[in-house]
Every structure is written in C-alpha cells, then in structure tokens.
Amino acid sequence: MKISLAKIFVFCSFWVILSSASSHEDFVQCLTRFSPNTNSITKQIYTPQNSSYTSVLESSINNLRFAGSSTPKPLVIVTPTEDSQVQAVIYCAKKHHIQMRIRGGGHDYEGLSYVSKAPFVVLDMVRYNKIDVDHEAATAWVQSGATLGELYYSIAQKSSTLGFPGGFWYTVGVTGLIGGGGYGNLRRKYGLAADNVIDARIVDVKGRILDRNSMGEDLFWAIRGGGASSFGVILSWKLKLVSVPEIVTAIQLDRTIEQNGTEILHKWQSVAPNLPKDVEIRVIAATIWKNRPNPVARTVLTDDSIARNRAEKTILLRFSGYFLGGQEKLVSMMNKEFSELGLTKEDCTELSYIQSAQRFSLLSTSESPEVLLNRTSFRIPFKAKSSYAERPISRKGLEGIWTRLLEYDPGTTNFVFTSYGGRMNEIAESAIPFPHRAGTLFMIYMRVQTDGDAEKRIEWIRELYEYLTPYVTKNPRTSYVNYNDLDLGVNNEEGPTSYKRASVWGKKYFKNNFDRLVRVKSSVDPGNFFRHEQSIPPFS
Ligand SMILES: Cc1cc2nc3c(=O)[nH]c(=O)nc-3n(C[C@H](O)[C@H](O)[C@H](O)COP(=O)(O)OP(=O)(O)OC[C@H]3O[C@@H](n4cnc5c(N)ncnc54)[C@H](O)[C@@H]3O)c2cc1C
Ligand SMILES: *[C@@H]1O[C@H](CO)[C@@H](O)[C@H](O)[C@H]1NC(C)=O
Ligand SMILES: *[C@@H]1O[C@H](CO)[C@@H](O)[C@H](O)[C@H]1NC(C)=O
Ligand SMILES: *[C@@H]1O[C@H](CO)[C@@H](O)[C@H](O)[C@H]1NC(C)=O
C-alpha cells in the first residue's frame, strides 16, 4: 500500500504541533516542580496565553527585521529573578528537548537571542539588572541583564571620575557586548569592555554555578569575546572601572567631499590609529541633500525617493571624536598631530563623563542622567556587515564607496570608520578571543535599513561588502562578531556541525582563537546544548 508524501507531511506536521504543545506544557510543569519557590517562578513565566506575552517579547527586539508575524516565536518566555530559576530553565529545557535562547539587551544583529527555527524558550535576563559599584576599589558587580545606560548611570551616582570602556549606545546589554569584545570611545585608552572584566558568575550545562576560580581560565577566557551564549548563562560580571577626567571633550566636525573630505579621510586612515591614546576619532559617511539646512538627522539618513539623483546629493563625512581632557589642550594637540583636519574650538564641546554618555547615545545632555535608564530607544529593521583594514584605502577606493552610497543609496544607510591603535595594539591577539589587535588600522561598519524593498537593500549591502574586498583583510577576511552576519556561514540545523563548516565563519570572527574556542566548547558543553546559528560547535 502506498502512503502519499502529502499524507506523511500532514501527519508529521501534526505530530510536531502536538508534541511541541505538550512539551511546552511539560516544560512549564517541570519549571514549577523543579524551582524551590513555585510561587515566585510562576510570576516569571509567559506563554502565548498570557496577555503580556507579546509586550514582553517585543520589549527588547532591537532589529525590527525580526519583529514581524513570520518570525518564529518562543513557546515560553521566562524572566528569572533568582539563580535557581536560571538553573531550572536549563534543566527543564534539556529534559524536554526544547532549545533555549538567552536574551540580555536584545541587540543581536541576527535576532539570535529571541528567534529560533526549532521550538524554543527565551530566557530573558531583563530583571537581572542590579549593579553594585565599589568606587573605592574601582570595581563593579553587574548582573547580566543590565544595559550600558544603567551601568554608566550607576557608576556616575558614585563617582564623577570613574568610567567603563563599554559601547556607545545606552540600550545595548552588557552581556552581549562583553560576549563579543565591546568597543566604545575609551577603546584607544583602555581597550575593550571584555579586556576589563575580572570575574564572572555563570551557570553551565550541568546547572552548576561557577565563578572565575571554579570555571577555570579556559572558560573564563572564552566568555570574554568568544560569544557567551555558546558556553552557558552568564549571571553577572565583575568589571574593572577606569579613571576618567572631570571634563572630557566631544568632537564633531563635518566636511563634505566638496570641502576636501575625501583627502582628510584619506589622511585620517593612517593618522587616527597613531594619535595619543587620550583621543579617538571615528568618521561617519552619510549621503545628504546639498541644498537643505540640517540635511542629516542624527547619524541616520532619511528619505530615499530621490536618492538616485546624484546632482542633489553629496557625501558628508562627520568626524566624531572624544578626548579625555579639555578642549584647549585637544585643539593644540590636534593642530600638531592632524592639522589637515583643521579642528577648532567651535567643533568641540566640553562635558562631564556622564553627559558624554548621553551625547553619544544621542540623548540631550541638558536632561538628567536618568534618561540613560530608559531601555527603549528608537528602532529600525536593518542588515549590517563589518570589515577590518590593515592598510589605508586609496582615494579611488574611497570614491567607489561614495559612488555606491550616492547612486544606489536605497535609503537609510550608515557607513562608519572606527580607528583602532593605542591600547588595542598592546593587547595580544590571543589574550581574549577577540583577535583584531596590532596591525588593524580601523574597522568598517556598514548598515542598511531594510524596510520597503528589503531584498534589494540586502543585495545592495552584499555588493558593497564585495566591493571592499581588495581594501580589507584577507585570508581570513575578518569581521566583528558583535555585528554578527549569517551571510558569513551558519551551523548545520539538522545535526552536528563539522569543525570545517564552522571555521568558515569562525575564523572570520576569531582568527586562530577559533580553535581554542572549539576546544573549550568540547570540554564544557560536549552535547552542544547551548547553540544557535553561529554558536561555537564542539568537535563532533
Ligand atoms: C544600536 C546598536 C548600537 C551598538 N553599539 C555598539 C557599540 O558601540 N560597541 C560595540 O561593541 N557593539 C555595539 N553594538 C553591537 C552589540 O555589542 C551587540 O549587538 C551585542 O551582542 C548586544 O548585546 P545585547 O545583550 O544587547 O543583545 P542580545 O541580543 O540580548 O544578546 C546578544 C548575544 O549575547 C547572548 N547573551 C545575552 N545575555 C546572555 C547571558 N546572560 N548569558 C549568555 N549569553 C547571553 C545572546 O544569547 C546573544 O547570543 C550595537 C548594536 C546596536 C543594535
Ligand atoms: C501566565 O498565565 C498563567 C496561567 O494563567 C499564570 O499562572 C501566570 O502567573 C501568568 N504569568 C504571568 C507573568 O503573569
Ligand atoms: C586638501 O587636503 C590635502 C591633504 O590633506 C591638502 O594637501 C590640501 O591642501 C587640501 N586642500 C584644500 C583646498 O583644503
Ligand atoms: C524611552 O524612550 C522612548 C524612545 O525614545 C520614548 O518613546 C519613551 O517615552 C521613553 N520612556 C521614558 C520613560 O522616558
């Protein structure tokens, strides 16, 4: 007797639906049974039947490309408030073969902290956001669900001369940031966020709570830049705080390509990475209207309808920088070190450290620092990519980028050059998994907004990435893991992923550190429970 394929298919999908429905009930039952305090965990469990399920899920979806109804949704969201609840989620997800995704600030570029094709639970650390600053010791214990804004705010409550070398954007989560390295405007002075972590508490696949001492140096190495979500659930980090002056200076200087912008940028490529460590300058390239007042809204561009009309648009280069000191000293130093930039006092703003955190998050500096506690910022759907340069790009090469931005700017784009050098050069490539150290001049970041004609826009950014090939690192062509990009390769969905397959994307993010990451993974999670499209695989 023949059974039609269609029947098998219908039967199979029916079975999948049934089994996921029952496994999710079993999972929830398991949670309440396994948790020491049933009452308290019940309040942290959201299934689609709970009215606030959607708002909890959407609360930190920062890439709206993954907010639509076609994006798979979790069976359950758990927002733990106690360590034992995290242990229960791991235990029950393992027991009922449900995938687990771990969410901190929700800024993952590919939505991997809250999307999975297999039936899954989201462990959302949003309520794990306590911060304990010891200003005398210049350290802080930070729970893993805290945001950078919450961290900067908490430090400033205790001291105006302590800071942390985290990222620019206030709603980014500390754990995702540290998990991939994490850079901001103190990178040239103090290195990455992950370079300034001195201890951590993690729950491993066996449900054990480990600190630096009990997890050992291999695992402690891996979670600082190697993608924390491949190894366990981070509960908290101990951070080393760094000293900052009472007054810092923000730089903002705009030059269009008609104003010699390309020449200045060409020079910037070799000068900026060699400036004193107290100063950093990034360059944001944007297409703007030639004849309109205030043509740039934030660093984001607006309106694409006449983007092809090259005659009406030009490229604006925004030199956006930061100096650990006052403007007088900065201007005289810059005129010595980088006179081509033509920096004047008018391009400078003196601020307190906490005001500077507000400014680089595009928040008003006249408002009180409480604005940094808001976990919701403006959101767009986007696709992004990154590359690293070890040599300056030729003028012709730069002009080719402008042509692409001008002639086929499909809408809101963001193209940023971020200088390295300074402290970044002094830290060994193998010190933590983040490998882009000495020799790296700058990082290139490119992003396109994907509403409207998403496919065409993604194709456009892929072409731009291809265009840059001759100008950036090769063998491997490196990228920043915190700008994760599934175009670089993904793990096998059906079964184990071979070392060879994973090293296609793995070497791009981690160079030779990838091999050590695979060894650590093989020893701490050989069954590959903690996994996603670009998690570190164990040796199969
Ligand atoms: C608007 C914006 C601005 C940005 N600015 C910067 C910047 O200035 N500098 C910079 O370096 N990067 C920046 N990034 C990139 C950012 O560092 C990464 O997107 C980072 O992964 C976000 O962390 P998250 O906790 O917010 O994200 P999530 O999506 O919550 O998590 C990211 C990854 O970390 C894992 N994770 C989260 N919490 C835990 C946990 N408790 N235990 C284990 N794994 C966990 C997740 O599973 C996921 O794999 C920016 C991103 C955006 C969208
Ligand atoms: C979700 O609904 C269940 C069943 O009604 C309830 O027990 C639980 O407390 C609800 N969750 C939250 C967070 O309110
Ligand atoms: C443009 O920049 C170059 C290189 O920095 C410099 O030599 C030249 O004088 C500049 N031209 C103008 C018009 O400013
Ligand atoms: C937080 O920021 C969002 C986006 O800018 C804004 O809409 C919201 O009102 C802010 N919330 C608070 C409490 O200020």
Side-chain angles (χ1 to χ4, degrees):
M1 199 187 106
K2 279 191 198 147
I3 301 174
S4 76
L5 271 182
K7 265 188 197 153
I8 292 179
F9 180 75
V10 167
F11 176 77
C12 288
S13 14
F14 187 61
W15 184 81
V16 167
I17 291 164
L18 268 186
S19 70
S20 65
S22 66
S23 64
H24 119 235
E25 274 160 26
D26 292 349
F27 172 76
V28 170
Q29 257 179 26
C30 172
L31 283 182
T32 49
R33 202 172 325 126
F34 188 74
S35 293
N37 183 345
T38 303
N39 260 342
S40 83
I41 194 158
T42 309
K43 294 192 201 104
Q44 314 304 338
I45 300 173
Y46 301 84
T47 71
Q49 280 74 49
N50 293 86
S51 57
S52 40
Y53 168 88
T54 303
S55 63
V56 171
L57 178 63
E58 289 176 352
S59 63
S60 70
I61 294 184
N62 273 278
N63 187 344
L64 297 183
R65 191 152 62 92
F66 304 107
S69 56
S70 59
T71 302
K73 306 285 184 260
L75 300 170
V76 184
I77 306 167
V78 184
T79 56
T81 54
E82 295 162 29
D83 296 353
S84 62
Q85 296 171 350
V86 175
Q87 293 170 305
V89 173
I90 294 174
Y91 173 82
C92 296
K94 244 181 2 189
K95 186 163 178 213
H96 294 283
H97 305 287
I98 294 179
Q99 262 209 34
M100 192 177 88
R101 294 296 163 107
I102 316 160
R103 186 158 76 170
H107 288 69
D108 191 277
Y109 272 62
E110 298 282 7
L112 302 184
S113 58
Y114 52 86
V115 182
S116 167
K117 285 181 195 148
F120 69 111
V121 49
V122 168
L123 180 67
D124 191 333
M125 303 302 284
V126 58
R127 295 193 177 130
Y128 247 77
N129 66 342
K130 285 183 202 67
I131 298 172
D132 189 5
V133 175
D134 182 344
H135 61 286
E136 267 150 28
T139 59
W141 270 106
V142 181
Q143 283 193 320
S144 62
T147 62
L148 291 176
E150 291 168 342
L151 173 62
Y152 298 153
Y153 174 85
S154 304
I155 297 171
Q157 291 298 99
K158 291 278 183 77
S159 164
S160 56
T161 54
L162 283 177
F164 182 72
F168 288 97
W169 195 251
Y170 65 128
T171 55
V172 168
V174 290
T175 299
L177 183 94
I178 291 170
Y183 74 93
N185 46 21
L186 295 175
R187 67 190 177 282
R188 303 194 66 258
K189 177 83 173 180
Y190 294 113
L192 302 169
D195 295 325
N196 292 279
V197 173
I198 45 186
D199 205 340
R201 293 179 69 244
I202 185 173
V203 188
D204 75 357
V205 68
K206 294 180 183 147
R208 295 178 301 192
I209 296 176
L210 307 171
D211 65 2
R212 178 175 186 167
N213 194 32
S214 49
M215 80 177 84
E217 285 303 303
D218 267 343
L219 181 54
F220 185 62
W221 173 85
I223 57 178
R224 291 171 298 153
S229 53
S230 295
F231 301 97
V233 178
I234 306 290
L235 294 172
S236 54
W237 303 98
K238 186 179 186 184
L239 309 179
K240 187 172 92 202
L241 306 182
V242 300
S243 61
V244 292
E246 293 275 356
I247 296 293
V248 299
T249 303
I251 304 168
Q252 183 176 309
L253 181 152
D254 291 347
R255 291 283 181 273
T256 63
I257 50 178
E258 285 76 16
Q259 295 165 327
N260 215 11
T262 308
E263 276 302 324
I264 303 170
L265 174 62
H266 188 259
K267 188 86 199 202
W268 171 93
Q269 298 179 97
S270 47
V271 173
N274 292 303
L275 287 170
K277 287 179 189 168
D278 285 346
V279 64
E280 68 97 7
I281 304 177
R282 292 183 301 154
V283 186
I284 300 150
T287 50
I288 59 157
W289 301 102
K290 276 183 189 166
N291 300 311
R292 295 189 189 181
N294 195 17
V296 194
R298 296 176 154 153
T299 56
V300 178
L301 308 171
T302 50
D303 197 289
D304 65 331
S305 54
I306 326 175
R308 288 158 203 243
N309 189 344
R310 192 170 182 176
E312 284 189 48
K313 285 196 159 187
T314 186
I315 297 290
L316 179 95
L317 299 174
R318 170 161 290 177
F319 295 83
S320 173
Y322 193 69
F323 176 60
L324 289 165
Q327 59 183 20
E328 206 124 327
K329 193 169 162 209
L330 171 67
V331 170
S332 81
M333 181 182 90
M334 291 302 279
N335 286 333
K336 210 162 69 217
E337 307 265 353
F338 190 12
S339 60
E340 295 83 355
L341 184 62
L343 187 78
T344 66
K345 273 191 188 168
E346 281 63 55
D347 311 311
C348 300
T349 312
E350 290 187 341
L351 299 161
S352 68
Y353 175 73
I354 195 66
Q355 280 178 320
S356 75
Q358 289 165 234
R359 176 178 168 124
F360 285 95
S361 288
L362 306 177
L363 297 165
S364 159
T365 51
S366 55
E367 279 184 70
S368 80
E370 273 79 24
V371 289
L372 289 164
L373 301 177
N374 189 346
R375 293 180 70 110
T376 314
S377 56
F378 73 95
R379 291 166 183 182
I380 54 168
F382 64 90
K383 172 74 192 169
K385 292 175 177 290
S386 61
S387 279
Y388 285 93
E390 293 179 335
R391 297 177 290 132
I393 302 175
S394 64
R395 292 173 182 80
K396 199 168 146 268
L398 294 172
E399 279 157 10
I401 301 171
W402 312 157
T403 305
R404 277 162 180 80
L405 291 174
L406 285 170
E407 288 184 347
Y408 185 60
D409 178 351
T412 303
T413 58
N414 197 356
F415 197 100
V416 185
F417 302 81
T418 301
S419 61
Y420 275 31
R423 180 78 187 128
M424 295 290 285
N425 279 357
E426 298 167 357
I427 298 171
E429 201 167 294
S430 59
I432 63 169
F434 177 100
H436 321 286
R437 304 283 189 173
T440 303
L441 292 181
F442 53 89
M443 178 179 68
I444 294 170
Y445 170 71
M446 58 206 110
R447 186 197 72 196
V448 64
Q449 191 164 325
T450 54
D451 39 9
D453 200 347
E455 257 169 59
K456 224 168 164 182
R457 292 171 181 208
I458 290 173
E459 211 173 282
W460 176 83
I461 202 168
R462 287 179 180 148
E463 198 279 328
L464 180 59
Y465 177 85
E466 287 310 315
Y467 167 76
L468 289 168
T469 306
Y471 305 107
V472 295
T473 52
K474 37 181 96 46
N475 304 318
R477 178 170 181 180
T478 47
S479 288
Y480 178 35
V481 68
N482 268 350
Y483 300 143
N484 53 345
D485 173 7
L486 298 187
D487 291 348
L488 302 182
V490 290
N491 291 337
N492 184 3
E493 272 168 44
E494 270 81 45
T497 297
S498 68
Y499 165 82
K500 195 165 162 234
R501 175 169 174 158
S503 46
V504 173
W505 56 263
K507 297 265 174 175
K508 291 184 158 83
Y509 295 143
F510 305 113
K511 298 199 207 172
N512 289 332
N513 292 334
F514 181 67
D515 293 356
R516 183 171 174 194
L517 286 169
V518 173
R519 285 199 301 275
V520 177
K521 173 76 175 182
S522 306
S523 103
V524 303
D525 181 23
N528 202 22
F529 172 71
F530 293 108
R531 68 179 183 275
H532 54 66
E533 286 81 342
Q534 283 184 343
S535 58
I536 305 294
F539 287 118
S540 37

